[in-house]
Amino acid sequence: MTPAAAVTVVTMATIAELKSALKETLESRGVLGQLKARIRAEVFNALDDQSESRPPLSHQNLLINELIREYLEFNKYRYTASVLTAESGQPEVPLDRQFMANELNVVEDPSSKSVPLLYGMLAHFLNDSKGEKAGRMFLRGPSVPSEKNTRDIPETGVMAGPSGAGPFTLHGGCR
């Protein structure tokens, strides 16, 4: 092997080692995933058809997106959460949890505050509603109420359910 070839082999090994060490460091700090997510989001934005305007962020979508973001961040899916925020137009600053609970007509017990609202809501429906039809909730899609059916549509923030049903209490959900 010539001296020049030996230097090239040593340099390549050193570059490969440097790349490996850099990758390990960035992964251990959680930066590599963030960079990949940011690049994906920027590529998506570049490819996104800007001539097609997005619909305005409705109150319901704002709440749904925030429930999803809280879940994603709790589970350390920060990159997915950053793409959701960028793509949906969700505000960068998360909504206050108490505001969310009030908007969803939810009362939390102390154990539910350590997990995302989605966990508590799911636990409510899975654990507290075991009877044949007991506790079942009739869900309706959002619609523009007509004059003759306005009494049947709950006001914003109130879930459709048995008449006279008040807010439901969330107990700590399991992760």
Side-chain angles (χ1 to χ4, degrees):
M1 181 180 289
T2 66
V7 169
T8 303
V9 170
V10 170
T11 305
M12 289 180 73
T14 306
I15 291 173
E17 291 170 355
L18 178 62
K19 283 182 180 179
S20 178
L22 183 59
K23 183 179 177 183
E24 286 178 28
T25 301
L26 292 175
E27 281 177 343
S28 69
R29 292 182 181 173
V31 175
L32 187 60
Q34 290 175 340
L35 290 172
K36 287 179 179 179
R38 184 68 186 169
I39 290 169
R40 274 188 225 110
E42 290 301 325
V43 168
F44 176 82
N45 285 336
L47 296 175
D48 193 20
D49 185 4
Q50 298 299 325
S51 65
E52 186 178 317
S53 64
R54 285 195 182 112
L57 189 59
S58 70
H59 181 72
Q60 287 179 334
N61 281 356
L62 179 75
L63 295 174
I64 291 167
N65 290 346
E66 195 60 41
L67 287 169
I68 294 168
R69 176 172 39 190
E70 182 187 35
Y71 162 81
L72 292 172
E73 289 179 354
F74 178 82
N75 286 289
K76 311 260 187 282
Y77 302 146
R78 291 183 192 98
Y79 324 123
T80 306
S82 70
V83 172
L84 170 70
T85 302
E87 188 174 350
S88 67
Q90 192 78 0
E92 290 290 327
V93 177
L95 297 176
D96 178 68
R97 183 181 173 105
Q98 187 58 51
F99 171 79
M100 292 286 296
N102 290 342
E103 289 296 298
L104 296 168
N105 202 25
V106 167
V107 178
E108 295 185 275
D109 73 8
S111 67
S112 71
K113 293 183 179 190
S114 64
V115 295
L117 287 167
L118 273 177
Y119 281 113
M121 293 168 73
L122 185 62
H124 170 78
F125 291 110
L126 292 177
N127 299 328
D128 296 345
S129 305
K130 291 292 186 191
E132 177 60 30
K133 287 193 177 183
R136 289 202 180 183
M137 181 177 290
F138 178 71
L139 296 178
R140 298 181 195 145
S143 63
V144 178
S146 66
E147 288 186 31
K148 66 180 183 180
N149 68 0
T150 53
R151 65 178 178 76
D152 297 331
I153 297 177
E155 60 187 82
T156 301
V158 177
M159 298 182 135
S163 63
F168 63 89
T169 302
L170 294 184
H171 303 282
C174 297
R175 178 170 183 240

